Amino acid sequence: MFSKFSNILHNAVEALAPQLSLKEEFVHHWKSVTAFFMDNKGQKLPIDQTQIPEHLEQMVVLLKEEELNAELDSTGPCMEYLLQHKLLDTLYSLGRTDHPPGMKQIVLQFFTKLLSRLKQPILAHVSVHRAVNRLVKACGEVQAAPTESEEIQFLCTVCSLIKSTPYLVNFFIEVPKLNSDARITSLTKDAPRPETGAGHMTQSADIPANSPDTCTTHSTSPNTANGPCSTGRNFSPMNSLLSLSHSADSRVAVKACEGLMLCSSLPEETAALCIIHDTRFCTEMTQRLIEAYLKLPAFISPADLENAEAKWGLDVITESEDHKTFLGKRHLVSFLSWLDYCDQLISIANPMVAKSLAKSIRELFLNVIMEPSVLQASEAGATLATAYLNRCLRTVCSPELLSEFCFFILGHERLPEQIGETTPEIRHRLIERCNHLSEELSLVTLKLFDTLLQKDDEHIMHNLVLRNLLGRNYYKVTPVVSEEVNSAQDKEDNSKTPNDTSQGKEDNIKQDSKEKPSLNRSSSRTEVHKIVNCFLALLPEQLKSSYQTADSGYDMYLRDAHKQFRHICEMTDPWSWPKEPVVIKRFVVDDFYEGAFLRMLLDKMSHLLEQSYPVNLQLTSVVARLALLPHPNLTEYLLDPFLPVTDGTRTLFAVFQKLSSEIRNKLHAQSDLSQQLVNVRRQLMGTSTNLHRKNPYRKTTRYQISLRPRPKFCQGYEDQNQLEAIIVMEEFCKELSAIAFVKHHSEVNRPS
């Protein structure tokens, strides 16, 4: 009651008092604040029972009013008073003591309002940034502090100002003062070194001053204290944000992560090096990823893992919601969300910071945690770990982190692969597992490679496929007599017939010069139709069931192939792939070897009849992605039935021919084969009247067939797998023919 009466009396006196100038009123409010501490030394009143918040608020209002009325780039008397009398330093000291209780919260609010409301760049002033930096270091000191919301608001305001004016970051990077010994060393660092110097001095002569080894191994070396990777520096905003990112309040944690994004994206090299070498940023980001991974459920269905969507932000799954969906979803979403955050951060961060964080994730998470999980002997454990790796790969989009994932899985090798090569081990084991006896392990590994081939990274395509095709050792060169060459050239000049015999001899000329493409723009429309018909005619008409169900779907394959090829061309354009088949000398070998990956795919294609429907679908998906790649060497190897190849060389079409012959030999005696194929197709499409399926495995439109598990109570044919494989082969031949046609159309319309 007495306090309210005092407030009323105080307001009445102020109303009757004569009008003061802005400076006088500003000084009055400040002295009212300091007077409280002089008059109430022993009291412990809460801050909301004093006039301090109102006085500080009025000071900000007066500064803003002064700024609006002042001339451009001029400092008013109120601001001069604040700067000259070091009001912010005093307020920091008052807030640090948190007396009266709640004072720190009010001081944080005052600093936040001062920096955010005023447009003039006051942060560069020494009396401002010094106090601000001291207050920044006071943030995040106590976990679950009552001032967390005000702390994070203040830190984000500071980070926004630094982001808009990057040079300001130098005011927040503190370099430790040199001690006497270090000062003497720094004065003599340019002097010649004796031959028998200290061990660390001798070693540092062989390592660049800005190399990571110098920063880690010789962090205590005095001669690196002033270098670009000096240690002992303190980047206070980054350290405080890292502390607050662990807050139990999700809103505070998210805001702290946003602040970390701002700091890590600063273009200043000094800030980037300080973040990398003098903060725990990279290690802590990776450690939190590891902790989230280790909490992932030990058992999870492939459908739940594939359909789990997680984006970094405020989406939090409670424990009750976790049990309503599937056990472990909360931990799965948490892991994927943090991985998504790291990926987004790397995509916008300073290139040096991005590379360092991606390398940290590779060294601490992928090499130490993920690799042993994937390579474990347990089939169930390896299947789950591979599925998690595939899900991680689907989430990653930033070039730096994607490259680290690719190098982890495939290695750095770019020269032709040799037969029996087993390094890196994880690549070798993954390719082997595509032929594993466990169908689940084989299927999840094929999905991993399918995901890899969708990623925008040239190293993936080169390492898996192209490095063994760039020598063009698969191609059989036919010698051409000079007279025949001249005759072919004369005929080509005098004839424009697409099917003229001169076309073949002209092709031979180009073959000798290593420039002949099978589907180049000189190919006629009739020739591409021959290629299309070769794939469409692999199966005899009696083994084709799509026409009998009025569901050929060829137009759909053309539309899809055109759309996908256009997207892939946009992705591969920056890679500067050649437009014609090439021979690169360093990739030429004595005997052609397609590489372990292509060999595995061709082997599995040859066993199409012995594999399950899900495996065959995934296998053809991987091969189709390779066929869509616009590299001429790969195109002719996979899609040209007429390509002359060296002895012992397998092509995709040759595998299909052998498979077609095998189908004819095995099933020709069955009289009702055509009807069986129609029935099986209807079952796969879900149109059979006697099937009642529940819980579909997954939804897909591939080959116009919904992929569902065959019900155990559904009586199928004895050779059901073989019938399903024939249907897959029929649809895949249509898909490949559509891809060949779309590629030819693209080559014809390509500008000269």
Side-chain angles (χ1 to χ4, degrees):
M1 178 67 71
F2 181 75
S3 177
K4 291 183 178 179
F5 179 76
S6 299
N7 291 341
I8 294 172
L9 182 63
H10 178 76
N11 293 335
V13 171
E14 286 187 346
L16 296 174
Q19 187 68 31
L20 300 177
S21 64
L22 289 178
K23 180 180 179 181
E24 291 174 335
E25 190 173 355
F26 184 82
V27 173
H28 163 71
H29 286 295
W30 174 245
K31 289 185 176 180
S32 298
V33 172
T34 56
F36 172 84
F37 294 94
M38 298 295 294
D39 301 337
N40 301 276
K41 289 185 178 181
Q43 298 183 12
K44 294 185 178 180
L45 291 174
I47 191 70
D48 54 358
Q49 294 183 17
T50 69
Q51 294 295 320
I52 294 176
E54 288 78 5
H55 287 303
L56 292 178
E57 175 66 27
Q58 285 301 314
M59 290 172 64
V60 176
V61 172
L62 292 172
L63 288 171
K64 181 63 178 176
E65 183 180 351
E66 181 184 73
E67 182 184 62
L68 293 174
N69 297 329
E71 297 180 359
L72 188 64
D73 297 333
S74 62
T75 303
C78 295
M79 180 58 68
E80 289 182 355
Y81 183 87
L82 181 142
L83 298 175
Q84 291 176 1
H85 292 78
K86 301 178 181 179
L87 269 57
L88 297 182
D89 287 325
T90 304
L91 282 173
Y92 161 75
S93 300
L94 296 175
R96 197 80 172 94
T97 61
D98 199 26
H99 174 75
M103 186 63 188
K104 182 179 180 181
Q105 182 179 10
I106 298 303
V107 170
L108 285 166
Q109 292 176 352
F110 175 80
F111 273 71
T112 302
K113 293 174 182 177
L114 182 70
L115 296 175
S116 59
R117 293 183 184 180
L118 300 183
K119 295 182 180 180
Q120 50 186 319
I122 61 172
L123 192 56
H125 199 284
V126 62
S127 64
V128 176
H129 69 70
R130 181 177 56 197
V132 169
N133 190 32
R134 294 169 69 189
L135 189 58
V136 165
K137 290 189 287 186
C139 295
E141 287 183 330
V142 180
Q143 290 292 325
T147 58
E148 273 190 344
S149 297
E150 288 75 18
E151 288 176 6
I152 194 60
Q153 197 67 34
F154 165 66
L155 289 174
C156 287
T157 300
V158 174
C159 291
S160 298
L161 291 174
I162 295 175
K163 178 66 176 177
S164 61
T165 313
Y167 80 89
L168 292 175
V169 73
N170 295 289
F171 298 131
F172 296 89
I173 299 177
E174 299 180 29
V175 179
K177 296 181 179 179
L178 297 176
N179 55 35
S180 58
D181 295 336
R183 188 176 296 108
I184 294 173
T185 305
S186 64
L187 293 174
T188 60
K189 63 181 179 180
D190 294 330
R193 296 180 181 177
E195 294 182 1
T196 58
H200 68 275
M201 297 292 286
T202 305
Q203 293 177 8
S204 61
D206 299 328
I207 302 176
N210 59 348
S211 69
D213 292 335
T214 306
C215 303
T216 55
T217 308
H218 310 290
S219 58
T220 58
S221 178
N223 65 336
T224 62
N226 297 324
C229 55
S230 61
T231 58
R233 291 172 293 184
N234 180 27
F235 190 9
S236 52
M238 180 65 72
N239 294 330
S240 298
L241 288 168
L242 285 172
S243 298
L244 288 173
S245 66
H246 293 278
S247 172
D249 188 341
S250 59
R251 294 169 298 179
V252 173
V254 168
K255 293 288 289 183
C257 291
E258 291 175 354
L260 290 173
M261 280 185 163
L262 291 175
C263 289
S264 61
S265 62
L266 292 172
E268 293 288 313
E269 182 179 353
T270 306
L273 290 171
C274 187
I275 291 172
I276 295 170
H277 301 298
D278 299 306
T279 71
R280 61 186 190 277
F281 171 72
C282 295
T283 304
E284 189 160 318
M285 295 291 106
T286 307
Q287 189 60 38
R288 291 182 65 173
L289 187 67
I290 293 172
E291 292 172 359
Y293 177 79
L294 295 177
K295 294 178 183 178
L296 291 177
F299 302 97
I300 186 173
S301 72
D304 289 336
L305 180 58
E306 187 171 346
N307 296 327
E309 295 294 336
K311 291 293 183 182
W312 169 74
L314 283 173
D315 296 333
V316 178
I317 296 179
T318 62
E319 189 172 352
S320 60
E321 293 173 334
D322 189 11
H323 289 288
K324 289 179 182 178
T325 51
F326 63 87
L327 192 61
K329 182 175 182 179
R330 183 161 57 97
H331 294 306
L332 176 61
V333 170
S334 176
F335 169 73
L336 293 177
S337 298
W338 189 253
L339 179 62
D340 181 65
Y341 169 72
C342 292
D343 184 61
Q344 290 187 39
L345 189 149
I346 290 173
S347 65
I348 66 171
N350 182 292
M352 299 172 66
V353 177
K355 185 176 180 180
S356 179
L357 178 55
K359 185 178 179 182
S360 176
I361 292 175
R362 161 81 182 279
E363 293 176 348
L364 301 180
F365 172 58
L366 294 178
N367 291 348
V368 177
I369 304 298
M370 185 64 80
E371 184 172 358
S373 299
V374 173
L375 297 181
Q376 63 182 294
S378 169
E379 288 183 7
T383 301
L384 184 63
T386 306
Y388 282 140
L389 178 59
N390 181 39
R391 192 62 182 83
C392 291
L393 198 60
R394 282 177 50 193
T395 302
V396 171
C397 296
S398 59
E400 292 84 1
L401 188 55
L402 178 59
S403 293
E404 294 298 338
F405 266 84
C406 296
F407 292 144
F408 163 70
I409 297 173
L410 304 176
H412 294 77
E413 187 59 55
R414 293 183 65 84
L415 292 177
E417 185 178 357
Q418 304 297 321
I419 298 177
E421 186 175 320
T422 60
T423 54
E425 183 183 3
I426 188 169
R427 179 186 187 272
H428 171 68
R429 292 280 293 277
L430 287 173
I431 293 176
E432 272 189 343
R433 284 177 178 174
C434 292
N435 280 321
H436 201 274
L437 293 176
S438 170
E439 181 178 312
E440 290 185 357
L441 185 54
S442 175
L443 186 60
V444 74
T445 309
L446 283 171
K447 286 182 178 180
L448 175 64
F449 283 112
D450 193 13
T451 303
L452 269 174
L453 293 174
Q454 298 177 55
K455 289 299 179 178
D456 186 4
D457 193 303
E458 186 270 345
H459 181 71
I460 298 172
M461 319 304 173
H462 184 92
N463 181 279
L464 283 177
V465 180
L466 294 179
R467 59 176 170 153
N468 281 64
L469 299 180
L470 291 177
R472 214 181 180 207
N473 300 99
Y474 56 84
Y475 181 74
K476 184 178 182 180
V477 179
T478 305
V480 181
V481 182
S482 59
E483 294 179 359
E484 293 178 345
V485 173
N486 294 332
S487 175
Q489 291 176 336
D490 294 337
K491 288 183 180 180
E492 180 67 17
D493 293 336
N494 298 326
S495 174
K496 295 183 180 180
T497 305
N499 288 328
D500 196 282
T501 56
S502 63
Q503 181 66 44
K505 295 179 181 179
E506 177 66 20
D507 285 346
N508 287 334
I509 298 171
K510 293 184 178 180
Q511 290 166 10
D512 287 342
S513 63
K514 305 299 186 292
E515 294 292 335
K516 181 262 176 186
S518 300
L519 296 176
N520 61 3
R521 74 181 87 187
S522 64
S523 300
S524 67
R525 197 170 292 271
T526 304
E527 287 177 327
V528 76
H529 284 171
K530 287 181 180 179
I531 294 174
V532 169
N533 290 332
C534 280
F535 283 104
L536 294 179
L538 278 168
L539 284 176
E541 293 299 320
Q542 62 269 26
L543 295 182
K544 296 180 180 179
S545 56
S546 59
Y547 299 102
Q548 301 182 47
T549 58
D551 184 34
S552 65
Y554 187 69
D555 291 340
M556 181 202 68
Y557 286 121
L558 282 174
R559 290 193 298 269
D560 287 349
H562 178 73
K563 181 179 179 180
Q564 295 172 18
F565 185 68
R566 181 175 56 189
H567 170 73
I568 290 176
C569 286
E570 291 175 356
M571 181 181 75
T572 58
D573 275 346
W575 303 346
S576 302
W577 277 353
K579 303 302 181 183
E580 310 287 340
V582 295
V583 174
I584 301 179
K585 290 184 179 180
R586 69 176 181 273
F587 293 98
V588 175
V589 294
D590 295 334
D591 298 319
F592 173 68
Y593 172 55
E594 62 268 57
F597 184 67
L598 271 178
R599 172 167 289 188
M600 176 272 297
L601 292 178
L602 294 177
D603 287 343
K604 290 193 73 66
M605 289 302 302
S606 65
H607 294 89
L608 207 66
L609 296 177
E610 304 162 15
Q611 296 164 169
S612 68
Y613 179 66
V615 170
N616 285 338
L617 267 189
Q618 191 60 58
L619 172 65
T620 53
S621 174
V622 173
V623 177
R625 294 196 190 281
L626 289 178
L628 280 165
L629 293 175
H631 195 287
N633 291 45
L634 184 60
T635 297
E636 68 175 2
Y637 179 72
L638 291 180
L639 296 179
D640 190 354
F642 306 105
L643 182 72
V645 295
T646 56
D647 296 337
T649 297
R650 284 190 307 173
T651 63
L652 182 61
F653 187 77
V655 171
F656 273 179
Q657 281 183 315
K658 185 178 179 180
L659 188 60
S660 177
S661 176
E662 184 181 348
I663 292 173
R664 288 187 175 93
N665 293 335
K666 280 188 176 183
L667 304 175
H668 74 282
Q670 298 185 21
S671 57
D672 59 342
L673 181 58
S674 298
Q675 187 58 43
Q676 290 181 14
L677 288 169
V678 172
N679 292 339
V680 172
R681 176 178 283 272
R682 286 174 177 168
Q683 291 176 11
L684 294 174
M685 294 173 63
T687 59
S688 179
T689 56
N690 63 338
L691 293 181
H692 305 281
R693 294 182 173 85
K694 298 180 180 179
N695 300 325
Y697 178 76
R698 67 180 175 93
K699 295 180 179 179
T700 179
T701 57
R702 183 168 176 79
Y703 302 158
Q704 295 285 330
I705 298 170
S706 297
L707 178 56
R708 297 179 173 90
R710 189 184 307 113
K712 294 180 180 180
F713 54 81
C714 174
Q715 183 177 3
Y717 299 101
E718 292 183 0
D719 50 0
Q720 180 89 7
N721 272 353
Q722 295 181 356
L723 296 174
E724 291 173 347
I726 293 173
I727 294 173
V728 170
M729 181 176 175
E730 177 189 352
E731 297 298 322
F732 189 45
C733 287
K734 288 190 288 187
E735 185 175 17
L736 289 178
S737 63
I739 292 173
F741 184 83
V742 167
K743 280 192 167 185
H744 166 77
H745 186 268
S746 175
E747 287 295 317
V748 168
N749 294 316
R750 179 163 53 88
S752 301

